[in-house]
Amino acid sequence: MSKKIRKTIVLLISIVILAIIFVATGPFYIIEEGKQVVITRFGGIANTHTEAGLYIKIPFIDQVTTYPKLVLSLDGDSQRIPTKENQFIIVDTTSRWRITDPAKFYQSFKTLDNAYNKLSDIIDSSTRTVITQNRLSEIVRSSNIINEQTSISNQEQDDETKAIESLVNVNNVNESVTRGRGELCKQMTQEANKLVPEYGIELIDIVPRQIKYSDELTESVYNRMIKERNQVAQAYRSLGEGKKAEWMGKLESDKRTIQSDAYRRSEEIKGKADADASKIYTSAYSKDPEFYRFWKSMESYKETLKDSDTTYSTNLDYFKYLYSADGNR
């Protein structure tokens, strides 16, 4: 083998060995879908890549830091916040965000945990700022549909129910909503987005996940609800007593009307009966006047003498039929 050939073989082997060593040191890296990377060199940012694919780096010098490209979520801590009416409520928010500039994000936080902590503070601050400037009704409601439904329901109510509603002022508790929860969520997001762009972050939205009364306010709300229900119950009782008196008065009036009508009809019937009896008596008397007088005398004796066991004198025309059937003494 000639010397030239040996040199060529040694050169090829050296190249292969160097290639193997180069590959072994990891010069290639892959960016998966939904990921983005920041390449740092000697502590400074050398490059960024946001598209998936195969890329090359300088071994042992370039460092690859990977961040998610997808939308991330952040559940905030519960906060005790006063509303515009100075009513303290407990607000628990959740938000969506993503990394839009990995270079700024790396310079600001380097790790996701640091970003979560900073972003949580920003979200809490913007949430507190918006809530303290608005009423509770604006925070918990998104529209005036409850007022509209109540108005329609009131039109369908009877007079008694409307009277009760007016007594306890039930409808006055529903305040009109001018912005609503959806608009306040947008304001929270806009307030937070004033700060986060410098960190390479886009905050998509902030949504109150849970809103509840604070412990000291809960008891007050329950007491107010109990008082309102008692007012409603008392209003129903008062209305019931009034209706009872009204119906009792109507009952007495109807009773008197019925009795008066019945008495009138009974008198009419009695008058007709007496007229019929008189007619019968007259007819009977005209047929046999003497027998009629005798019969009436017997009927009278039965009534006047039934409880008397002594007769002191019969020398009266009244007793003429006691001794003679024909009435002759």
Side-chain angles (χ1 to χ4, degrees):
M1 182 181 296
S2 66
K3 187 175 182 181
K4 185 177 180 180
I5 294 175
R6 285 199 302 269
K7 287 182 179 180
T8 302
I9 293 174
V10 171
L11 179 61
L12 291 174
I13 293 173
S14 299
I15 293 174
V16 171
I17 293 173
L18 290 174
I20 293 173
I21 294 173
F22 180 76
V23 172
T25 57
F28 302 105
Y29 65 95
I30 297 175
I31 300 178
E32 300 177 355
E33 290 289 343
K35 302 289 185 180
Q36 54 189 340
V37 301
V38 174
I39 308 299
T40 55
R41 186 178 302 152
F42 303 114
I45 297 176
N47 202 354
T48 60
H49 298 288
T50 59
E51 300 296 330
L54 179 64
Y55 296 89
I56 299 176
K57 67 176 181 176
I58 300 176
F60 306 110
I61 297 177
D62 290 348
Q63 300 295 324
V64 179
T65 303
T66 304
Y67 296 120
K69 190 178 178 181
L70 304 177
V71 175
L72 305 175
S73 63
L74 173 61
D75 295 333
D77 298 327
S78 298
Q79 297 187 82
R80 185 173 180 269
I81 306 175
T83 64
K84 189 175 182 179
E85 308 97 327
N86 202 30
Q87 295 181 350
F88 283 89
I89 57 175
I90 306 299
V91 181
D92 186 5
T93 62
T94 184
S95 56
R96 296 182 301 165
W97 65 285
R98 60 177 165 228
I99 301 171
T100 55
D101 190 333
K104 287 183 179 180
F105 185 85
Y106 179 85
Q107 292 173 342
S108 302
F109 306 115
K110 290 187 173 59
T111 65
L112 284 175
D113 289 339
N114 293 335
Y116 278 125
N117 293 333
K118 182 63 176 179
L119 192 58
S120 180
D121 292 339
I122 294 174
I123 292 173
D124 290 347
S125 176
S126 63
T127 301
R128 178 178 293 273
T129 299
V130 173
I131 288 180
T132 53
Q133 296 174 354
N134 291 274
R135 304 190 313 272
L136 179 62
S137 57
E138 298 281 356
I139 301 167
V140 299
R141 290 165 51 192
S142 298
S143 67
N144 286 311
I145 187 171
I146 185 173
N147 291 352
E148 296 170 359
Q149 291 177 344
T150 301
S151 177
I152 295 174
S153 177
N154 288 341
Q155 295 176 2
E156 299 174 351
Q157 290 174 349
D158 54 19
D159 294 337
E160 289 80 3
T161 305
K162 290 181 179 179
I164 292 174
E165 297 288 347
S166 63
L167 286 175
V168 297
N169 295 323
V170 172
N171 294 331
N172 293 336
V173 300
N174 296 328
E175 299 177 353
S176 296
V177 174
T178 57
R179 282 170 288 185
R181 183 173 56 191
E183 184 63 28
L184 295 188
C185 291
K186 293 180 181 179
Q187 289 185 11
M188 296 177 192
T189 306
Q190 292 171 359
E191 189 71 21
N193 273 325
K194 294 178 181 179
L195 301 176
V196 295
E198 63 182 83
Y199 303 125
I201 293 174
E202 178 191 3
L203 187 62
I204 300 174
D205 58 19
I206 302 174
V207 179
R209 184 173 57 182
Q210 183 182 34
I211 298 175
K212 62 181 181 179
Y213 291 119
S214 59
D215 294 338
E216 64 272 15
L217 185 58
T218 300
E219 184 177 358
S220 174
V221 171
Y222 286 163
N223 290 335
R224 187 182 66 193
M225 293 171 64
I226 292 172
K227 181 179 179 181
E228 290 176 354
R229 292 303 95 191
N230 287 335
Q231 288 178 342
V232 173
Q234 183 59 42
Y236 273 107
R237 283 192 289 266
S238 299
L239 182 61
E241 291 296 330
K243 296 298 291 185
K244 176 184 176 182
E246 179 183 345
W247 281 102
M248 290 301 293
K250 183 178 180 182
L251 176 63
E252 289 296 326
S253 176
D254 292 345
K255 179 181 177 182
R256 287 192 295 269
T257 301
I258 293 172
Q259 288 176 338
S260 176
D261 185 63
Y263 178 76
R264 179 184 58 79
R265 293 181 62 189
S266 67
E267 290 300 316
E268 290 177 355
I269 293 172
K270 286 181 181 180
K272 183 179 179 182
D274 290 341
D276 291 343
S278 298
K279 183 178 180 181
I280 294 172
Y281 289 149
T282 302
S283 177
Y285 179 77
S286 62
K287 289 183 180 180
D288 193 345
E290 184 60 30
F291 176 78
Y292 178 76
R293 286 192 294 270
F294 173 77
W295 179 259
K296 294 298 291 183
S297 295
M298 293 299 104
E299 291 293 321
S300 178
Y301 293 160
K302 287 191 329 183
E303 293 295 326
T304 59
L305 300 177
K306 64 179 181 179
D307 295 328
S308 177
D309 55 0
T310 303
T311 301
Y312 295 100
S313 174
T314 59
N315 190 20
L316 295 173
D317 188 57
Y318 177 72
F319 295 106
K320 63 182 180 178
Y321 288 104
L322 286 177
Y323 300 99
S324 174
D326 59 2
N328 297 319
R329 302 185 180 207

